[in-house]
Amino acid sequence: MSTSDVIVAVEGVTKIYQQGRVEVRALRGLDLVVRAGELTALYGPSGSGKTTLLNLIGALDHPTSGRVLIEGRHLGALSRRELSHLRRDRIGFVFQAYNLIPVLTAYENAETVMALQGVEAGTRRRRVGELFAEMGLEGMEDRRPDELSGGQQQRVAIARAIAAGPAVVLADEPTANVDSETAERLLDIMGKLNEDHGVTFIFSTHDPRVMERARRLVRIVDGRVDGDGTREG
Amino acid sequence: MSILRMAWRNVWRNRRRSLVTVAATTLAFTVMVLYSSLVQGYLVAMERNLLDLELGDVQVHDPRYQDDPSLYSSIADASELLARFDAKGYAASARLLGFGLGAGADASAGVQIQGIDVVRDRRVSRIYERVKQGRWLDPGAPHEVVVGSQLARTLVVKPGDELILLSQAADGSTANDIYTVRGVLQGVSEAVDRVGVFMTDAAFRRFFAFPEGAHEIILRRPPDMDVDAFAASVRELAPNERVQTWRELAPTLASLLDSARSIMVVVFLIVYVAIGILILNAMLMAVFERIREFGVLKAIGYAPGQVLLVILGECAMQTLLAIVAGLLLAWPGLWYLTRVGIDMGKLGGMAMMGVVLDPIWRGVVNPSVFTMPLVTLVAIVGLAAAYPAARAAWISPIRAIQHR
Ligand SMILES: Nc1ncnc2c1ncn2[C@@H]1O[C@H](COP(=O)(O)OP(=O)(O)O)[C@@H](O)[C@H]1O
Ligand SMILES: [Mg+2]
């Protein structure tokens, strides 16, 4: 594999939160490389630093030291404006919950990032239509988020993240708030999108069933990588 | 487009709060439009009365008249000047001014006597419209005079009664004669009401033995000429006389009229600050409630300016609703104020700095009646919305998302 396939490079990153007088060392010199097409699960005990890591990769926060590179671009060197364009064009986010804008319909939520990118309306309609069909969301287009189940909301959030054609989709415990059946469904969808469209996923979890689905498992303990394995098949 | 759609739907998210905000803004805007119409109506009426009834646009006097307002401080070549003004097409009329003592059956008072060219004067003054009892002067009735209403009360005279006038004539002899009161004037100016006695110019010349000249020429400008250009032109035609615009003749009133509009804007600001606080509060609440949402928007790539637009758009839409509603509400009010007006006669009438105003106070409708309350409203709303909008726009997405 060539270095040009590297989507995410995390190099010696530390993150220290200042909580009053107390310093919380959330990440302690963490290295990680994620290549195009990987489906990576970050797992580890609660408080190990998974969310912190995803936020740094997603350009939502700055490391205390070390570097984060997305497609070779050092985030620390980018302006605010470049960072927000990077989030818009190269990164997809799926949060644990409350991902969607309540006043927009499922369809409008899914197309909003594309609209920001200036993608033409016909193209948006077609792409969201395809994704909704693939994800079992047909007929949900005009529903507001509060008329959707938790699993449906997460699927719309995934559709929104993917529709914009990002280099990587970051999902922080995407199945934490849904029942296990729905969780499996979401994982199937992510797996399928990964296989069929080569979408690169990084998600965090502490759900064993979720881990089973991942092709690459990265164990995080105390803000460091404690194990990194790839499953074939 | 999706930004404005989001803004519009956000307006209806907390229906009650939005309705309260819109209703309060509507009310304030409506009241300010009506207020603006009335104040401007007042100013227009005041300026019109001052010019139409008293001063004209420009006056010409002998240079000595200001310090020594006597019979002798007259413009000797008044008729020559009038001919020049006529040649230019300027409306002009001369007045003769003198002082004396007026006496009714049992009372007497000091009076100012004005001799008027009844035909010409109509071109420069609408004083004849202010005859409340009896009739205005008639050149064919030289022994009939018109007096101010306050003076009529002091002297206890009414149309048909006799009035004796006493003074010193130009030749030093005693001037005295008996006249019949022909009419009573009301609402010209406080001075005219109190001491004004009007007669024909022929009667004045006979009474004061004053055959030539005049004390004052009143001119009105053509509609397409501003008052200063007009005064300059009059000065060229009358180089030896003192030529003053109404602004120079009544400087305090002129500056009052000028400053009244800025005073009005201050009132707008005061009223709108209350609305501004309401909007600030509503928008702060809205932003605070949706803080997580703004975090999500920023995380998925909305730029600060786009988030700003969501919030300012929401605020602008509410304000626009209020403006439309306010205009609809103000419509009948404006109709009433301009057509019917408020009858101040019942409240004893109005006078301001010596200028008597019409008993019916009417509003006016012109673009500035709307633009001035509008511009101030938009400025205040913009200021009130700026802080909450900026907070949401520049919030750190991570802090917003972690916010519970
Ligand atoms: N904003 C913050 N301020 C202070 N400490 C934080 C903050 N966010 C996370 N932490 C701390 O950093 C550590 C890592 O947290 P996190 O990245 O959320 O772990 P995980 O997602 O693996 O549960 C924890 O000890 C947590 O308490
Ligand atoms: Mg976490």
Side-chain angles (χ1 to χ4, degrees):
Chain A
M1 257 187 210
S2 70
T3 50
S4 66
D5 288 339
V6 173
I7 303 291
V8 177
V10 177
E11 301 174 348
V13 159
T14 66
K15 177 70 186 179
I16 299 173
Y17 292 112
Q18 201 70 41
Q19 207 162 42
R21 294 246 179 103
V22 186
E23 285 190 347
V24 182
R25 301 169 67 83
L27 298 179
R28 314 176 180 219
L30 187 143
D31 298 296
L32 181 70
V33 169
V34 174
R35 292 173 194 280
E38 286 187 338
L39 181 70
T40 305
L42 308 174
Y43 75 105
S46 176
S48 56
K50 303 181 295 293
T51 298
T52 302
L53 177 59
L54 286 174
N55 287 340
L56 293 177
I57 295 171
L60 294 181
D61 208 353
H62 306 287
T64 309
S65 67
R67 307 199 304 165
V68 177
L69 295 94
I70 302 292
E71 299 182 305
R73 297 167 80 194
H74 177 204
L75 299 189
L78 300 183
S79 68
R80 271 169 110 103
R81 188 184 155 79
E82 288 169 323
L83 285 175
S84 86
H85 283 173
L86 180 98
R87 288 199 294 265
R88 184 188 72 189
D89 299 334
R90 306 310 299 150
I91 294 169
F93 270 105
V94 179
F95 300 103
Q96 198 172 319
Y98 309 113
N99 270 291
L100 304 180
I101 305 304
V103 291
L104 299 182
T105 64
Y107 176 80
E108 289 163 351
N109 265 290
E111 69 156 11
T112 176
V113 181
M114 280 191 287
L116 281 187
Q117 290 173 329
V119 174
E120 178 244 323
T123 314
R124 301 203 300 260
R125 188 158 294 280
R126 189 165 41 76
R127 209 177 296 169
V128 173
E130 284 165 10
L131 283 168
F132 273 29
E134 228 169 314
M135 300 170 89
L137 286 169
E138 302 105 319
M140 303 289 150
E141 285 83 357
D142 295 330
R143 296 212 184 162
R144 295 282 177 97
D146 59 4
E147 299 163 336
L148 297 171
S149 71
Q152 288 167 338
Q153 289 184 29
Q154 290 304 73
R155 275 182 272 160
V156 173
I158 294 171
R160 176 180 69 195
I162 286 167
V168 60
V169 175
L170 308 173
D172 192 10
E173 311 224 16
T175 59
N177 281 19
V178 296
D179 60 53
S180 51
E181 211 174 307
T182 311
E184 303 227 348
R185 183 94 201 271
L186 283 175
L187 290 163
D188 284 342
I189 285 167
M190 287 198 269
K192 196 164 176 294
L193 289 166
N194 172 256
E195 259 165 40
D196 298 354
H197 303 281
V199 180
T200 309
F201 278 100
I202 307 175
F203 55 91
S204 70
T205 186
H206 52 252
D207 181 342
R209 282 164 315 158
V210 175
M211 291 175 230
E212 274 170 33
R213 307 292 185 112
R215 226 148 290 125
R216 181 181 174 197
L217 275 173
V218 176
R219 182 173 157 80
I220 312 272
V221 177
D222 286 341
R224 285 196 199 91
V225 174
D226 188 53
D228 188 345
T230 307
R231 202 188 349 246
E232 293 306 321
Chain B
M1 230 27 237
S2 80
I3 288 175
L4 292 183
R5 188 159 55 201
M6 219 184 300
W8 174 248
R9 293 191 193 155
N10 278 340
V11 170
W12 303 107
R13 231 160 126 174
N14 193 323
R15 237 165 244 270
R16 193 175 41 174
R17 187 165 61 210
S18 294
L19 286 177
V20 168
T21 309
V22 170
T25 312
T26 301
L27 190 70
F29 180 64
T30 307
V31 170
M32 289 305 99
V33 166
L34 297 179
Y35 168 75
S36 169
S37 169
L38 271 178
V39 170
Q40 297 199 44
Y42 182 89
L43 297 176
V44 165
M46 187 156 162
E47 187 172 325
R48 193 186 50 224
N49 280 3
L50 184 65
L51 271 56
D52 285 359
L53 301 177
E54 260 194 280
L55 298 180
D57 291 301
V58 164
Q59 293 190 356
V60 180
H61 294 99
D62 182 88
R64 292 166 299 172
Y65 189 82
Q66 180 146 3
D67 296 327
D68 175 27
S70 75
L71 267 187
Y72 308 108
S73 305
S74 65
I75 308 164
D77 56 351
S79 37
E80 159 68 17
L81 288 184
L82 283 176
R84 280 185 215 165
F85 296 146
D86 287 348
K88 272 272 189 185
Y90 296 163
S93 180
R95 287 194 180 183
L96 306 166
L97 306 171
F99 295 94
L101 192 71
D106 334 276
S108 64
V111 297
Q112 190 199 27
I113 302 164
Q114 298 203 29
I116 284 189
D117 179 337
V118 179
V119 177
R120 268 184 170 276
D121 204 74
R122 279 188 175 258
R123 292 190 222 153
V124 300
S125 164
R126 290 149 76 106
I127 191 169
Y128 55 87
E129 285 181 353
R130 295 301 160 112
V131 176
K132 288 286 131 52
Q133 287 177 332
R135 279 174 299 159
W136 181 237
L137 299 175
D138 180 348
H143 268 82
E144 296 187 349
V145 295
V146 172
V147 300
S149 59
Q150 181 65 45
L151 182 64
R153 237 170 289 141
T154 310
L155 299 179
V156 204
V157 292
K158 58 182 188 306
D161 289 353
E162 282 186 346
L163 176 71
I164 296 165
L165 293 176
L166 279 168
S167 188
Q168 189 177 35
D171 57 11
S173 65
T174 302
N176 65 69
D177 211 338
I178 301 179
Y179 296 89
T180 306
V181 174
R182 179 178 170 83
V184 175
L185 286 169
Q186 189 172 16
V188 178
S189 71
E190 280 188 342
V192 166
D193 273 2
R194 219 158 14 85
V195 296
V197 173
F198 293 82
M199 57 177 66
T200 66
D201 51 355
F204 185 101
R205 291 192 194 285
R206 197 170 315 122
F207 181 73
F208 280 105
F210 185 78
E212 282 296 315
H215 302 99
E216 181 170 291
I217 298 174
I218 299 180
L219 293 111
R220 297 312 300 262
R221 64 187 166 89
D224 56 344
M225 213 166 173
D226 81 57
V227 71
D228 291 319
F230 182 57
S233 166
V234 171
R235 237 166 243 134
E236 267 176 39
L237 298 172
N240 300 324
E241 311 302 334
R242 186 182 177 88
V243 175
Q244 288 166 292
T245 66
W246 70 269
R247 290 179 168 277
E248 290 160 338
L249 290 160
T252 330
L253 269 169
S255 67
L256 178 93
L257 288 170
D258 291 341
S259 61
R261 286 189 173 82
S262 16
I263 293 168
M264 190 165 71
V265 171
V266 171
V267 173
F268 292 160
L269 285 176
I270 292 167
V271 171
Y272 285 154
V273 160
I275 294 301
I277 291 168
L278 185 83
I279 289 172
L280 177 68
N281 182 50
M283 293 317 286
L284 275 177
M285 275 160 72
V287 165
F288 188 72
E289 285 167 1
R290 303 175 199 156
I291 204 95
R292 216 197 116 83
E293 231 171 283
F294 295 122
V296 169
L297 287 179
K298 292 202 69 178
I300 65 174
Y302 274 69
Q306 292 167 319
V307 176
L308 204 70
L309 210 60
V310 172
I311 297 161
L312 291 183
E314 176 177 350
C315 202
M317 286 166 183
Q318 294 188 17
T319 309
L320 202 68
L321 282 177
I323 288 168
V324 171
L327 289 177
L328 290 177
L329 262 181
W331 206 255
L334 284 175
W335 186 90
Y336 183 85
L337 288 180
T338 50
R339 297 292 162 84
V340 183
I342 300 169
D343 191 348
M344 300 304 285
K346 287 179 196 145
L347 303 170
M350 293 194 295
M352 173 100 176
M353 299 181 69
V355 180
V356 177
L357 285 161
D358 307 343
I360 306 282
W361 182 4
R362 283 203 173 80
V364 292
V365 172
N366 61 40
S368 77
V369 163
F370 303 102
T371 53
M372 290 171 67
L374 198 83
V375 168
T376 357
L377 177 67
V378 169
I380 291 278
V381 171
L383 276 179
Y387 172 67
R391 268 201 62 173
W394 278 279
I395 195 163
S396 135
I398 184 145
R399 205 159 305 144
I401 290 165
Q402 282 169 357
H403 184 93
R404 297 273 135 107

